[in-house]
Amino acid sequence: MSRKTILVVDDEPRTRQGIKKTLETWSSGRHDILDAESAAYSIEILKKQKVHLLISDICMPEMTGLEMLDTLKKQKQDPVVIILSAYSEFTYAQEAIRLGVHNYLLKPVNKIKLIEVVEGALEFESSRERIDMIQRVVDHKLVDLKLEAKKDDSPITKAIKYVDDNLSNHLSLNDVAKHVHLNSSYLSVLFKEQVNMTFSEYVTRSRLQLAKQLLINTDKTITNIAEEAGYGTSKYFIKLFKEHEGLTPSKYRKLIPFEG
């Protein structure tokens, strides 16, 4: 599991410091454990840095834990949340779960239960983060296009299928035009009209989509992925990938490590 930031929010110093110390001992330096004495202060912390797991008391002066969660949602902040609740506040804890809180702990907090719930929350956060990243991998324009292409048997549909089946090979407009029995100039115009992107743009996007899938779903080398995606040299592939994705294939892979 990668390094995470955990924020403990409670206006009671003894409870807050006790939870923080327990987590620091359990973490042994693997994660960053922060604390805040109020909901307002915790909101300021989240504005400045990413917090993966938020552990917060419900009843605090000035702003309650639930009010804080509502504010964070409005600010598009979405850490995994564990709520701390006394028995008398159990109804609030139930409401918090309806608001999307991952779990809750009853006070006084049991150390073993705390660690168990925190470990589960961090696993949930990692899996949610991976799913979010995989969603970003998908080129939705290509997906919609391929779904639409399945509905007919036009020359453009055949051209798309030919490209998809030959991404690892050399692909030229002339090759595809011959395959679908059209003049290359006419195919170029028709492709742009019906697909709403140029032939070369479609090939590039399809190859990069394949490369991204290979990066996150296999442990193949960058060189092998470049070849499989139809690029003669890994140097050119890395340059093109960075131009389109904003980072190198290696750094991209680290965002969503292969779980094979």
Side-chain angles (χ1 to χ4, degrees):
M1 186 182 292
S2 59
R3 192 175 189 84
K4 305 290 184 185
T5 298
I6 302 171
L7 175 60
V8 181
V9 187
D10 198 311
D11 63 306
E12 297 175 5
R14 190 181 220 175
T15 302
R16 185 175 73 250
Q17 292 303 322
I19 291 174
K20 184 180 181 185
K21 187 176 179 181
T22 298
L23 293 179
E24 285 174 338
T25 302
W26 158 79
S27 173
S28 299
R30 289 174 298 151
H31 305 297
D32 297 317
I33 317 297
L34 310 178
D35 69 291
E37 62 186 17
S38 69
Y41 183 37
S42 70
I43 288 171
E44 290 305 310
I45 291 175
L46 269 91
K47 283 181 182 177
K48 295 174 185 174
Q49 68 180 94
K50 181 174 177 62
V51 171
H52 301 89
L53 174 59
L54 178 65
I55 303 172
S56 176
D57 189 18
I58 282 186
C59 286
M60 292 182 286
E62 297 179 18
M63 182 185 287
T64 69
L66 296 184
E67 288 170 338
M68 174 184 65
L69 295 184
D70 189 49
T71 300
L72 291 176
K73 281 196 173 184
K74 288 174 182 174
Q75 295 177 351
K76 309 297 182 187
Q77 298 274 8
D78 191 28
V80 174
V81 180
I82 295 171
I83 280 291
L84 305 177
S85 162
Y87 281 102
S88 60
E89 302 153 0
F90 186 65
T91 304
Y92 293 112
Q94 290 178 312
E95 176 62 23
I97 289 175
R98 281 194 285 273
L99 289 172
V101 168
H102 177 70
N103 212 328
Y104 67 91
L105 287 166
L106 292 174
K107 289 182 172 183
V109 177
N110 176 283
K111 290 182 180 180
I112 295 174
K113 183 66 176 176
L114 169 66
I115 291 168
E116 178 187 314
V117 170
V118 165
E119 287 178 341
L122 288 178
E123 284 179 12
F124 172 77
E125 196 280 335
S126 293
S127 122
R128 187 181 70 171
E129 196 171 66
R130 180 175 170 81
I131 289 167
D132 287 344
M133 285 301 302
I134 289 172
Q135 284 295 319
R136 286 168 56 190
V137 168
V138 177
D139 187 328
H140 293 285
K141 190 173 180 180
L142 285 183
V143 172
D144 292 342
L145 179 62
K146 292 178 196 300
L147 287 173
E148 195 63 31
K150 287 181 179 179
K151 297 176 183 177
D152 63 58
D153 195 33
S154 67
I156 292 302
T157 298
K158 291 177 181 176
I160 287 172
K161 187 174 187 312
Y162 183 81
V163 170
D164 293 347
D165 291 343
N166 290 277
L167 288 175
S168 60
N169 303 321
H170 172 74
L171 277 170
S172 71
L173 184 63
N174 283 335
D175 293 335
V176 180
K178 285 179 183 177
H179 179 74
V180 297
H181 309 295
L182 288 177
N183 174 278
S184 60
S185 297
Y186 178 61
L187 175 62
S188 178
V189 173
L190 196 64
F191 201 95
K192 181 73 166 56
E193 283 180 356
Q194 294 190 17
V195 179
N196 204 25
M197 67 178 85
T198 65
F199 172 79
S200 61
E201 183 187 353
Y202 179 80
V203 172
T204 298
R205 289 177 74 149
S206 296
R207 281 177 166 163
L208 289 176
Q209 178 68 49
L210 172 61
K212 287 189 284 185
Q213 290 170 342
L214 292 171
L215 283 167
I216 67 170
N217 292 317
T218 76
D219 57 359
K220 292 181 179 180
T221 65
I222 302 299
T223 299
N224 286 342
I225 289 173
E227 290 174 357
E228 200 163 329
Y231 295 104
T233 66
S234 57
K235 184 177 179 181
Y236 176 68
F237 164 64
I238 292 168
K239 178 176 178 292
L240 189 71
F241 193 95
K242 189 173 182 181
E243 285 176 3
H244 283 261
E245 300 300 324
L247 67 173
T248 64
S250 296
K251 287 183 179 177
Y252 187 93
R253 170 173 262 167
K254 286 177 183 175
L255 291 175
I256 320 176
F258 171 55
E259 296 182 351

